[in-house]
Amino acid sequence: MKNIIQPVLCLLLSLGLLSVSVQAETVDELLADMARIQQDPVALKAAIQQGEYRGTLCFSCHGKDGNSTRTYIPNLASQNPSYLFTQFEHFASGERKDYVMSKLAGQISDSDRVAIALYFANRPVMEREAPVASSPEGKALFEAVCYVCHGKMGHGSRDYPRIAGQPYEFLETTLLNFKNKNVDRKTSPMIGVVQNLTEQQLKDLAAYVTHMP
């Protein structure tokens, strides 16, 4: 995937087709703008259309409808738009690091970040076949350690992501990275949450969450 995307990014950057983001507003101000757009049907429709157009470079990995094309890549469909937007900011600032996302996030304007987040937030999550079955053990773990932040349905909030229906491989890898204190996620509270769980428990948890609607 990197071999395909890197030349495209280089070409677009060399031609100046990706504009450099100008931070005219703070993150809080942009989130307030997003909230106002969500309350205005006409503005929301226009933003979703803008997001579909400007989100083209996201489609090869995350799918045009926000349902990832690879099981190790997260869905963006039905994700909380404020959470998506703040993750753009984290990649742009270097707080989070990813070979592709770190390059993209810094080159997308503020209004396009808002629009892309709203576009994917308004796509439905599509059910996909999971390699493992759900289990009572996974359910018990979710209810014990996850629902307080991610909600009883796993749909998250402004500050916490929707995890329900994410691909199993992505969930398993992410949870294990937290347990192993992956340096790229060193500021996440999840590191403390999972430290007392075994790898098998994390796999049970991932299996349960991936089957959540």
Side-chain angles (χ1 to χ4, degrees):
M1 184 64 68
K2 292 178 183 178
N3 292 335
I4 297 173
I5 293 176
Q6 186 177 14
V8 175
L9 286 175
C10 292
L11 175 61
L12 289 174
L13 289 170
S14 67
L15 293 176
L17 296 180
L18 290 177
S19 60
V20 176
S21 175
V22 177
Q23 296 297 322
E25 297 182 86
T26 66
V27 171
D28 286 341
E29 288 171 336
L30 288 164
L31 288 172
D33 289 343
M34 177 185 288
R36 285 191 288 270
I37 291 171
Q38 289 178 283
Q39 297 301 313
D40 183 337
V42 175
L44 179 59
K45 181 179 180 180
I48 290 172
Q49 291 175 337
Q50 177 185 349
E52 182 175 13
Y53 173 71
R54 296 298 291 164
T56 302
L57 288 177
C58 307
F59 296 165
S60 60
C61 293
H62 295 285
K64 183 173 182 178
D65 61 356
N67 289 276
S68 65
T69 60
R70 301 288 186 273
T71 57
Y72 57 85
I73 296 173
N75 293 334
L76 301 185
S78 293
Q79 189 56 268
N80 304 296
S82 56
Y83 178 80
L84 284 179
F85 178 81
T86 55
Q87 296 316 297
F88 271 130
E89 296 302 307
H90 292 333
F91 282 119
S93 70
E95 183 175 336
R96 288 190 66 182
K97 298 182 185 297
D98 177 82
Y99 181 82
V100 174
M101 286 301 304
S102 296
K103 287 178 169 58
L104 282 176
Q107 304 298 326
I108 302 174
S109 71
D110 289 339
S111 64
D112 283 343
R113 293 183 201 185
V114 170
I116 291 169
L118 289 170
Y119 169 73
F120 283 119
N122 282 274
R123 303 298 96 187
V125 175
M126 305 300 291
E127 184 177 356
R128 72 170 77 210
E129 185 176 351
V132 290
S134 184
S135 70
E137 290 81 7
K139 182 177 187 294
L141 285 165
F142 177 85
E143 292 175 348
V145 300
C146 302
Y147 84 93
V148 173
C149 294
H150 295 283
K152 291 184 178 180
M153 299 298 294
H155 290 180
S157 64
R158 166 177 167 158
D159 298 316
Y160 297 98
R162 176 194 172 111
I163 55 176
Q166 289 288 359
Y168 172 79
E169 183 180 354
F170 166 74
L171 289 169
E172 178 191 31
T173 300
T174 301
L175 288 171
L176 291 175
N177 280 342
F178 285 134
K179 182 171 178 62
N180 295 327
K181 300 180 181 180
N182 184 289
V183 66
D184 291 339
R185 305 303 300 273
K186 62 184 179 181
T187 62
S188 174
M190 282 297 298
I191 290 177
V193 171
V194 303
Q195 285 310 299
N196 293 327
L197 300 179
T198 67
E199 289 193 5
Q200 184 56 53
Q201 285 177 312
L202 294 178
K203 291 180 179 182
D204 289 340
L205 184 56
Y208 176 74
V209 171
T210 198
H211 286 281
M212 295 179 73

PDB file of all heavy atoms in Angstrom, residues 154-169:
ATOM      1  N   GLY A 154     -20.614   0.798  22.371  1.00  0.00           N
ATOM      2  CA  GLY A 154     -19.309   0.924  21.731  1.00  0.00           C
ATOM      3  C   GLY A 154     -19.238   2.015  20.691  1.00  0.00           C
ATOM      4  O   GLY A 154     -18.332   2.024  19.851  1.00  0.00           O
ATOM      5  N   HIS A 155     -20.189   2.981  20.749  1.00  0.00           N
ATOM      6  CA  HIS A 155     -20.253   4.021  19.729  1.00  0.00           C
ATOM      7  C   HIS A 155     -19.478   5.274  20.100  1.00  0.00           C
ATOM      8  O   HIS A 155     -19.445   6.236  19.327  1.00  0.00           O
ATOM      9  CB  HIS A 155     -21.714   4.368  19.428  1.00  0.00           C
ATOM     10  CG  HIS A 155     -22.433   3.280  18.721  1.00  0.00           C
ATOM     11  ND1 HIS A 155     -23.765   3.376  18.341  1.00  0.00           N
ATOM     12  CD2 HIS A 155     -22.037   2.041  18.320  1.00  0.00           C
ATOM     13  CE1 HIS A 155     -24.143   2.254  17.754  1.00  0.00           C
ATOM     14  NE2 HIS A 155     -23.110   1.428  17.726  1.00  0.00           N
ATOM     15  N   GLY A 156     -18.863   5.293  21.284  1.00  0.00           N
ATOM     16  CA  GLY A 156     -17.973   6.375  21.647  1.00  0.00           C
ATOM     17  C   GLY A 156     -18.666   7.696  21.909  1.00  0.00           C
ATOM     18  O   GLY A 156     -19.869   7.760  22.167  1.00  0.00           O
ATOM     19  N   SER A 157     -17.870   8.774  21.827  1.00  0.00           N
ATOM     20  CA  SER A 157     -18.353  10.117  22.118  1.00  0.00           C
ATOM     21  C   SER A 157     -17.432  11.102  21.422  1.00  0.00           C
ATOM     22  O   SER A 157     -16.613  10.721  20.586  1.00  0.00           O
ATOM     23  CB  SER A 157     -18.323  10.360  23.632  1.00  0.00           C
ATOM     24  OG  SER A 157     -16.986  10.317  24.105  1.00  0.00           O
ATOM     25  N   ARG A 158     -17.564  12.381  21.808  1.00  0.00           N
ATOM     26  CA  ARG A 158     -16.691  13.395  21.207  1.00  0.00           C
ATOM     27  C   ARG A 158     -15.215  13.071  21.427  1.00  0.00           C
ATOM     28  O   ARG A 158     -14.382  13.269  20.551  1.00  0.00           O
ATOM     29  CB  ARG A 158     -17.011  14.766  21.805  1.00  0.00           C
ATOM     30  CG  ARG A 158     -15.946  15.818  21.502  1.00  0.00           C
ATOM     31  CD  ARG A 158     -16.314  17.184  22.027  1.00  0.00           C
ATOM     32  NE  ARG A 158     -15.148  18.059  21.997  1.00  0.00           N
ATOM     33  CZ  ARG A 158     -15.203  19.374  21.981  1.00  0.00           C
ATOM     34  NH1 ARG A 158     -16.369  19.970  21.998  1.00  0.00           N
ATOM     35  NH2 ARG A 158     -14.108  20.107  21.962  1.00  0.00           N
ATOM     36  N   ASP A 159     -14.882  12.577  22.601  1.00  0.00           N
ATOM     37  CA  ASP A 159     -13.481  12.366  22.953  1.00  0.00           C
ATOM     38  C   ASP A 159     -13.000  10.931  22.776  1.00  0.00           C
ATOM     39  O   ASP A 159     -11.791  10.673  22.805  1.00  0.00           O
ATOM     40  CB  ASP A 159     -13.245  12.781  24.405  1.00  0.00           C
ATOM     41  CG  ASP A 159     -13.530  14.256  24.632  1.00  0.00           C
ATOM     42  OD1 ASP A 159     -13.109  15.065  23.781  1.00  0.00           O
ATOM     43  OD2 ASP A 159     -14.175  14.601  25.638  1.00  0.00           O
ATOM     44  N   TYR A 160     -13.934  10.004  22.623  1.00  0.00           N
ATOM     45  CA  TYR A 160     -13.559   8.592  22.521  1.00  0.00           C
ATOM     46  C   TYR A 160     -14.142   7.991  21.247  1.00  0.00           C
ATOM     47  O   TYR A 160     -15.286   8.254  20.896  1.00  0.00           O
ATOM     48  CB  TYR A 160     -14.047   7.819  23.749  1.00  0.00           C
ATOM     49  CG  TYR A 160     -13.413   8.291  25.032  1.00  0.00           C
ATOM     50  CD1 TYR A 160     -14.085   9.183  25.864  1.00  0.00           C
ATOM     51  CD2 TYR A 160     -12.134   7.868  25.390  1.00  0.00           C
ATOM     52  CE1 TYR A 160     -13.487   9.631  27.042  1.00  0.00           C
ATOM     53  CE2 TYR A 160     -11.535   8.316  26.555  1.00  0.00           C
ATOM     54  CZ  TYR A 160     -12.222   9.206  27.379  1.00  0.00           C
ATOM     55  OH  TYR A 160     -11.629   9.656  28.531  1.00  0.00           O
ATOM     56  N   PRO A 161     -13.358   7.163  20.563  1.00  0.00           N
ATOM     57  CA  PRO A 161     -13.807   6.661  19.260  1.00  0.00           C
ATOM     58  C   PRO A 161     -14.879   5.589  19.340  1.00  0.00           C
ATOM     59  O   PRO A 161     -15.008   4.884  20.340  1.00  0.00           O
ATOM     60  CB  PRO A 161     -12.518   6.064  18.667  1.00  0.00           C
ATOM     61  CG  PRO A 161     -11.748   5.625  19.875  1.00  0.00           C
ATOM     62  CD  PRO A 161     -12.004   6.681  20.916  1.00  0.00           C
ATOM     63  N   ARG A 162     -15.634   5.497  18.264  1.00  0.00           N
ATOM     64  CA  ARG A 162     -16.497   4.335  18.072  1.00  0.00           C
ATOM     65  C   ARG A 162     -15.592   3.147  17.808  1.00  0.00           C
ATOM     66  O   ARG A 162     -14.725   3.189  16.925  1.00  0.00           O
ATOM     67  CB  ARG A 162     -17.421   4.551  16.870  1.00  0.00           C
ATOM     68  CG  ARG A 162     -18.287   3.324  16.570  1.00  0.00           C
ATOM     69  CD  ARG A 162     -18.938   3.413  15.191  1.00  0.00           C
ATOM     70  NE  ARG A 162     -19.592   2.153  14.888  1.00  0.00           N
ATOM     71  CZ  ARG A 162     -20.904   1.987  14.808  1.00  0.00           C
ATOM     72  NH1 ARG A 162     -21.705   3.012  14.989  1.00  0.00           N
ATOM     73  NH2 ARG A 162     -21.404   0.798  14.540  1.00  0.00           N
ATOM     74  N   ILE A 163     -15.789   2.070  18.568  1.00  0.00           N
ATOM     75  CA  ILE A 163     -15.001   0.853  18.346  1.00  0.00           C
ATOM     76  C   ILE A 163     -15.866  -0.287  17.824  1.00  0.00           C
ATOM     77  O   ILE A 163     -15.344  -1.253  17.263  1.00  0.00           O
ATOM     78  CB  ILE A 163     -14.263   0.430  19.624  1.00  0.00           C
ATOM     79  CG1 ILE A 163     -15.227   0.264  20.804  1.00  0.00           C
ATOM     80  CG2 ILE A 163     -13.173   1.432  19.972  1.00  0.00           C
ATOM     81  CD1 ILE A 163     -14.572  -0.240  22.089  1.00  0.00           C
ATOM     82  N   ALA A 164     -17.171  -0.202  17.996  1.00  0.00           N
ATOM     83  CA  ALA A 164     -18.088  -1.254  17.541  1.00  0.00           C
ATOM     84  C   ALA A 164     -17.950  -1.477  16.042  1.00  0.00           C
ATOM     85  O   ALA A 164     -17.944  -0.529  15.253  1.00  0.00           O
ATOM     86  CB  ALA A 164     -19.533  -0.875  17.870  1.00  0.00           C
ATOM     87  N   GLY A 165     -17.806  -2.739  15.649  1.00  0.00           N
ATOM     88  CA  GLY A 165     -17.764  -3.089  14.236  1.00  0.00           C
ATOM     89  C   GLY A 165     -16.437  -2.863  13.550  1.00  0.00           C
ATOM     90  O   GLY A 165     -16.328  -3.052  12.332  1.00  0.00           O
ATOM     91  N   GLN A 166     -15.412  -2.461  14.307  1.00  0.00           N
ATOM     92  CA  GLN A 166     -14.092  -2.310  13.689  1.00  0.00           C
ATOM     93  C   GLN A 166     -13.547  -3.688  13.306  1.00  0.00           C
ATOM     94  O   GLN A 166     -13.894  -4.698  13.922  1.00  0.00           O
ATOM     95  CB  GLN A 166     -13.128  -1.621  14.654  1.00  0.00           C
ATOM     96  CG  GLN A 166     -13.408  -0.152  14.892  1.00  0.00           C
ATOM     97  CD  GLN A 166     -13.066   0.728  13.699  1.00  0.00           C
ATOM     98  OE1 GLN A 166     -12.589   0.248  12.661  1.00  0.00           O
ATOM     99  NE2 GLN A 166     -13.330   2.012  13.837  1.00  0.00           N
ATOM    100  N   PRO A 167     -12.684  -3.756  12.289  1.00  0.00           N
ATOM    101  CA  PRO A 167     -12.120  -5.052  11.887  1.00  0.00           C
ATOM    102  C   PRO A 167     -11.366  -5.716  13.041  1.00  0.00           C
ATOM    103  O   PRO A 167     -10.654  -5.046  13.798  1.00  0.00           O
ATOM    104  CB  PRO A 167     -11.160  -4.680  10.747  1.00  0.00           C
ATOM    105  CG  PRO A 167     -11.655  -3.376  10.236  1.00  0.00           C
ATOM    106  CD  PRO A 167     -12.215  -2.663  11.422  1.00  0.00           C
ATOM    107  N   TYR A 168     -11.494  -7.025  13.139  1.00  0.00           N
ATOM    108  CA  TYR A 168     -10.864  -7.761  14.240  1.00  0.00           C
ATOM    109  C   TYR A 168      -9.356  -7.547  14.264  1.00  0.00           C
ATOM    110  O   TYR A 168      -8.764  -7.295  15.326  1.00  0.00           O
ATOM    111  CB  TYR A 168     -11.176  -9.256  14.134  1.00  0.00           C
ATOM    112  CG  TYR A 168     -10.397 -10.070  15.142  1.00  0.00           C
ATOM    113  CD1 TYR A 168     -10.813 -10.132  16.472  1.00  0.00           C
ATOM    114  CD2 TYR A 168      -9.237 -10.744  14.775  1.00  0.00           C
ATOM    115  CE1 TYR A 168     -10.078 -10.847  17.418  1.00  0.00           C
ATOM    116  CE2 TYR A 168      -8.508 -11.461  15.703  1.00  0.00           C
ATOM    117  CZ  TYR A 168      -8.927 -11.517  17.023  1.00  0.00           C
ATOM    118  OH  TYR A 168      -8.202 -12.220  17.944  1.00  0.00           O
ATOM    119  N   GLU A 169      -8.711  -7.662  13.116  1.00  0.00           N
ATOM    120  CA  GLU A 169      -7.246  -7.542  13.083  1.00  0.00           C
ATOM    121  C   GLU A 169      -6.805  -6.175  13.587  1.00  0.00           C
ATOM    122  O   GLU A 169      -5.823  -6.065  14.339  1.00  0.00           O
ATOM    123  CB  GLU A 169      -6.715  -7.773  11.667  1.00  0.00           C
ATOM    124  CG  GLU A 169      -5.192  -7.742  11.583  1.00  0.00           C
ATOM    125  CD  GLU A 169      -4.667  -7.978  10.179  1.00  0.00           C
ATOM    126  OE1 GLU A 169      -5.467  -8.278   9.273  1.00  0.00           O
ATOM    127  OE2 GLU A 169      -3.445  -7.846  10.006  1.00  0.00           O
TER     128      GLU A 169
END
